[in-house]
Amino acid sequence: MTDQATAAPQGTPEIPGKPTSASRTTLSHIMTQADTNLLGTVHGGVIMKLVDDAAGAVAGRHSGGPAVTASMDEMAFLEPVRVGDLVHVKAQVNWTGRTSMEVGVRVLAERWNESTPATQVGSAYLVFAAVDADGRPRRVPPVLPETERDRRRYQEAQIRRTHRLARRRAILELREKRAAEGFED
């Protein structure tokens, strides 16, 4: 599944693609009292760090080296997480461009001492940029969706990318217009 964003530039050798399963991972962590906020539930920031950790591991695996968080989209907190919950953070690459990739993350929680099914408590989409030793962008392998669910995630990631770029363009255009009208920000 190659498009303009994953096609190699003229004169650049094609990088072999990697299937979604090659870098998919799950990180698990038991929530403790140290993770809680004033309401007695786990801080959203603690969950966000776990999300970034899992997504970073996936991005590094997929790209074959260092990758840095460029943005986080749509972090949704669906249910509170409590002390004693065993949290599972599942991540996979949904889409790749030339030097960036979107990683989708699902956060599940279950009581550590019960054998009930885990409940989805959050989700997020993060964009990572692959970097070389000097911090400059480097190419990433195309992701090869394997299942119908992977193909759906790939297509949805393309929609999110289109929206991110359009939003960025619109904001820059507004700032330029306001600057031309003499407004200071």
Side-chain angles (χ1 to χ4, degrees):
M1 185 172 281
T2 302
D3 65 8
Q4 292 294 344
T6 58
Q10 287 273 339
T12 306
E14 185 72 31
I15 297 175
K18 288 185 179 180
T20 50
S21 62
S23 58
R24 191 177 289 144
T25 195
T26 301
L27 298 179
S28 298
H29 185 78
I30 294 178
M31 296 293 111
T32 68
Q33 194 67 39
D35 300 318
T36 61
N37 59 28
L38 295 175
L39 299 175
T41 56
V42 173
H43 276 286
V46 170
I47 301 299
M48 290 173 75
K49 182 176 184 332
L50 294 173
V51 164
D52 193 43
D53 287 346
V58 166
R61 276 184 176 178
H62 183 82
S63 68
V68 297
T69 310
S71 70
M72 178 184 270
D73 285 353
E74 300 179 36
M75 180 71 212
F77 297 99
L78 307 173
E79 298 285 335
V81 177
R82 302 166 294 164
V83 170
D85 282 355
L86 179 57
V87 173
H88 308 285
V89 184
K90 299 175 177 279
Q92 78 170 48
V93 173
N94 291 335
W95 174 90
T96 54
R98 196 174 65 78
T99 62
S100 65
M101 62 208 105
E102 182 194 270
V103 178
V105 181
R106 282 186 329 138
V107 183
L108 306 165
E110 61 182 311
R111 296 304 296 168
W112 68 274
N113 59 348
E114 297 174 10
S115 52
T116 57
T119 301
Q120 184 170 353
V121 296
S123 65
Y125 301 99
L126 296 89
V127 177
F128 280 80
V131 295
D132 64 18
D134 297 320
R136 290 187 303 262
R138 63 181 174 79
R139 292 196 43 225
V140 299
V143 67
L144 305 174
E146 299 172 280
T147 67
E148 191 53 42
R149 178 180 276 179
D150 293 340
R151 285 184 278 285
R152 176 186 55 79
R153 288 177 175 166
Y154 184 92
Q155 291 170 331
E156 289 173 359
Q158 288 178 307
I159 292 168
R160 281 186 292 276
R161 179 177 187 271
T162 299
H163 286 229
R164 274 192 305 275
L165 295 174
R167 182 177 59 234
R168 183 183 310 153
R169 250 189 328 273
I171 289 169
L172 290 175
E173 287 171 6
L174 177 63
R175 288 179 182 172
E176 288 174 7
K177 178 182 175 193
R178 289 185 52 83
E181 293 171 352
F183 291 101
E184 291 185 35
D185 288 332

